[in-house]
Amino acid sequence: MSKFELKLPRMGESVAEATLTSWLKEVGDTIEMDEPIFEIATDKVDSEVPSEVDGVLIEKCFNVDDVVEVGQTVAIIQVGGDVEIAEPEQKDKEVETEEPVLQEMVTAAESAVMHARAQTSVAQLNGTSDRFYSPLVKNIARQEGISFDELETIAGTGKDGRVTKDDILNYVKKGESKPVERISTPERAAVQERVAVSQKVAAPEKVSTPVEEKVTAPPAPEKVAPATASTQAPTSEKPKTQVSRGDEVIPMSRMGKLIAKHMTDSVSTSAHVQSFIEVDVTNIVTWRNKIKDAFFKREGEKFTYTPIFMEAVAKALKKYPMMNISVDGDSVIKKKNINIGMAAALPDGNLIVPVIKNADQLNLLGIAKVVNDLADRSRNNALKPDEVQGGTYTVTNVGTFGSVFGTPIINQPQVGILALGAIRKIPSVIETAEGDVIAVRSKMYLSHSYDHRVVNGALGSMFAKAVADYLENWDLNREV
């Protein structure tokens, strides 16, 4: 009988930690090798971590939403023999008398809270909701004068969108609520005096007490004066969205928050400029229709337009290497490798960008294999963190949803992104030896967004034109 420590595996050169998002197994569950135990999330991707052995889960070392460093033990699995399940540690223990100052502070604080509850009448949390609120969150809401309707609008970061203690305290700290005047009591004054003395002498160690869930830490002396009309400084608040009866408040997912921040950061960082070019892809459409069935029979997978576009972009980056750069302060980093990001839509509506590494070194068949593999694993949430990092340029296919063209936001720290519009049959003027004629052609738009800090209009337009020329001159007799 032995115990195996399941550690957080290394997930890439630049990934040092991850957030534990959910446990897939409970203590006492039987586990097979390669069976997922828990899910983790990094800034780039969510992943499942499998067991390396057969056994029984006997201990969880971290809770959901904890940040775990690479190499730390996350779970303990018993391998073989009788199972001895470790009892969870008792977190709430009585405070020993070796810290009399802290004990007195806690007692006084508890008394102050009870006194305040008895003498104040704050906003009541009346109403019904499918959302769960812990007693601690409700107590803070009452003390800060937060109504039930206002509480419903606070975005929660806990499980199933629950509002945590940190969520509501951050909400109050930002000045988004209207706190009621605090009650001044002898007990509160004693607590404040004790805190001031203890802070001057030494920072006390954290102590777990039975009232930890009921009493919030007393504020520092310089912050306890109640705000009045004459002393309260005016604060600039962002316009708040009115939530009407019947509206549904949907908390953003973790990935949604990351995407939102990444997009706003990009807009504030790069000077976005766009160039558009129309491309005749009639030869490509004809050629793909000719080879796609044979390719499926031979390879067992579909041949889409994406590999063709990726090959064209790789060749254009080879021709114009100053599009394959990134900005670092006052310096420009010219990338050696051509790693093309491929934006892929997820079932939940979010977006992820897996990277085709060294795309210029792959032939068309190789690119097709990588594209299909990355797209499939993106939809199944099975990408590795390394597979969404290291991109030097990005391509997004807005035509999948019927868009003719778009103005995509640059994926930082890159300096360019190409949007592929929908392929449409349209009447077009064709020049022939006998004169101009009108014919039906398959055409699309390329929308190129680039960072005008380091890419001027000439380079941005020439790059887009290089991609277009490669696509229009497609060889109808090419094999794949």
Side-chain angles (χ1 to χ4, degrees):
M1 179 178 66
S2 62
K3 294 180 180 179
F4 177 81
E5 296 183 352
L6 181 61
K7 302 179 184 295
L8 183 66
R10 187 173 181 82
M11 298 169 291
E13 294 182 1
S14 61
V15 180
E17 62 184 22
T19 301
L20 197 156
T21 55
S22 68
W23 282 98
L24 304 178
K25 294 292 182 179
E26 299 297 330
V27 172
D29 287 353
T30 301
I31 299 168
E32 296 180 357
M33 183 182 295
D34 295 330
E35 187 176 7
I37 306 299
F38 56 89
E39 291 181 333
I40 55 96
T42 67
D43 289 343
K44 298 291 185 180
V45 70
D46 296 349
S47 300
E48 294 179 344
V49 177
S51 173
E52 300 175 29
V53 296
D54 294 332
V56 176
L57 179 63
I58 61 172
E59 185 177 349
K60 298 177 180 178
C61 302
F62 289 91
N63 297 320
V64 172
D65 295 332
D66 285 349
V67 176
V68 186
E69 295 182 359
V70 171
Q72 283 189 306
T73 300
V74 184
I76 297 179
I77 301 171
Q78 185 158 303
V79 182
D82 296 332
V83 177
E84 298 178 0
I85 300 176
E87 292 292 334
E89 295 184 2
Q90 183 69 24
K91 294 184 179 179
D92 297 330
K93 298 180 180 179
E94 293 291 341
V95 180
E96 298 181 359
T97 57
E98 59 187 12
E99 294 287 345
V101 174
L102 293 178
Q103 177 65 49
E104 187 176 348
M105 290 167 57
V106 170
T107 303
E110 183 178 25
S111 176
V113 171
M114 298 303 295
H115 184 78
R117 288 178 179 173
Q119 296 189 19
T120 60
S121 177
V122 295
Q124 298 299 313
L125 296 177
N126 296 324
T128 58
S129 172
D130 294 332
R131 205 176 188 189
F132 172 80
Y133 298 105
S134 68
L136 177 61
V137 169
K138 290 181 178 179
N139 285 338
I140 296 174
R142 291 190 184 97
Q143 293 169 7
E144 298 295 338
I146 298 175
S147 67
F148 178 79
D149 290 338
E150 187 177 359
L151 185 61
E152 285 280 277
T153 66
I154 300 177
T157 61
K159 184 178 180 182
D160 299 326
R162 290 182 181 178
V163 176
T164 65
K165 172 185 173 182
D166 290 339
D167 293 332
I168 192 169
L169 290 179
N170 288 336
Y171 181 82
V172 172
K173 184 178 180 182
K174 292 178 181 177
E176 295 174 338
S177 66
K178 299 178 180 178
V180 296
E181 184 177 350
R182 297 181 180 273
I183 298 300
S184 178
T185 66
E187 292 87 351
R188 179 182 295 278
V191 172
Q192 295 165 357
E193 182 178 356
R194 288 294 185 183
V195 171
V197 173
S198 63
Q199 287 178 338
K200 291 180 180 178
V201 177
E205 296 181 358
K206 294 181 179 179
V207 180
S208 178
T209 76
V211 298
E212 183 178 348
E213 291 295 316
K214 299 180 181 179
V215 183
T216 56
E222 62 271 15
K223 298 181 180 179
V224 298
T228 64
S230 60
T231 62
Q232 188 173 12
T235 58
S236 58
E237 296 183 359
K238 295 181 179 179
K240 294 200 303 183
T241 302
Q242 291 291 336
V243 180
S244 303
R245 184 176 298 277
D247 293 348
E248 182 182 4
V249 178
I250 305 175
M252 294 177 66
S253 66
R254 187 197 65 85
M255 181 174 286
K257 293 177 183 178
L258 290 173
I259 292 174
K261 185 178 186 304
H262 192 58
M263 294 297 98
T264 54
D265 287 349
S266 179
V267 171
S268 63
T269 298
S270 296
H272 283 65
V273 175
Q274 285 82 29
S275 293
F276 306 92
I277 189 167
E278 189 178 39
V279 187
D280 189 331
V281 291
T282 304
N283 286 350
I284 290 177
V285 173
T286 302
W287 177 81
R288 176 181 171 271
N289 289 335
K290 181 176 67 175
I291 64 95
K292 65 179 182 180
D293 291 338
F295 183 89
F296 183 80
K297 289 180 180 179
R298 189 185 74 203
E299 304 295 337
E301 51 190 283
K302 295 181 179 179
F303 187 90
T304 65
Y305 290 109
T306 303
I308 300 173
F309 297 132
M310 293 299 176
E311 184 182 67
V313 170
K315 289 184 179 297
L317 289 172
K318 199 82 170 177
K319 184 176 182 180
Y320 295 103
M322 289 307 292
M323 282 302 311
N324 198 51
I325 65 173
S326 62
V327 180
D328 183 18
D330 295 331
S331 301
V332 170
I333 301 174
K334 186 177 178 181
K335 299 293 186 178
K336 177 183 178 181
N337 298 328
I338 294 177
N339 302 332
I340 304 177
M342 178 186 70
L346 299 176
D348 62 0
N350 285 315
L351 197 70
I352 197 166
V353 187
V355 178
I356 304 172
K357 302 291 178 68
N358 300 310
D360 58 317
Q361 300 178 17
L362 299 173
N363 60 19
L364 191 58
L365 175 60
I367 295 177
K369 292 283 188 180
V370 174
V371 165
N372 288 338
D373 175 58
L374 292 177
D376 182 64
R377 288 193 289 118
S378 295
R379 289 187 289 267
N380 292 299
N381 195 28
L383 290 173
K384 300 175 182 177
D386 260 358
E387 292 174 325
V388 293
Q389 296 178 351
T392 60
Y393 189 88
T394 298
V395 176
T396 179
N397 190 354
V398 298
T400 302
F401 309 103
S403 295
V404 178
F405 52 79
T407 56
I409 297 175
I410 297 169
N411 188 13
Q412 296 294 327
Q414 301 165 21
V415 299
I417 180 172
L418 187 71
L420 309 173
I423 298 175
R424 301 174 302 147
K425 289 184 177 181
I426 59 175
S428 180
V429 176
I430 306 296
E431 295 181 355
T432 67
E434 291 77 23
D436 295 344
V437 297
I438 296 178
V440 176
R441 306 290 291 180
S442 294
K443 290 194 172 185
M444 66 180 293
Y445 282 99
L446 301 179
S447 308
H448 187 210
S449 291
Y450 47 94
D451 189 345
H452 211 13
R453 295 179 302 164
V454 290
V455 180
N456 58 34
L459 176 58
S461 297
M462 288 189 297
F463 175 83
K465 183 65 165 56
V467 176
D469 289 343
Y470 182 80
L471 296 175
E472 289 188 338
N473 295 320
W474 191 260
D475 183 4
L476 287 169
N477 296 318
R478 181 171 179 177
E479 296 183 357
V480 62

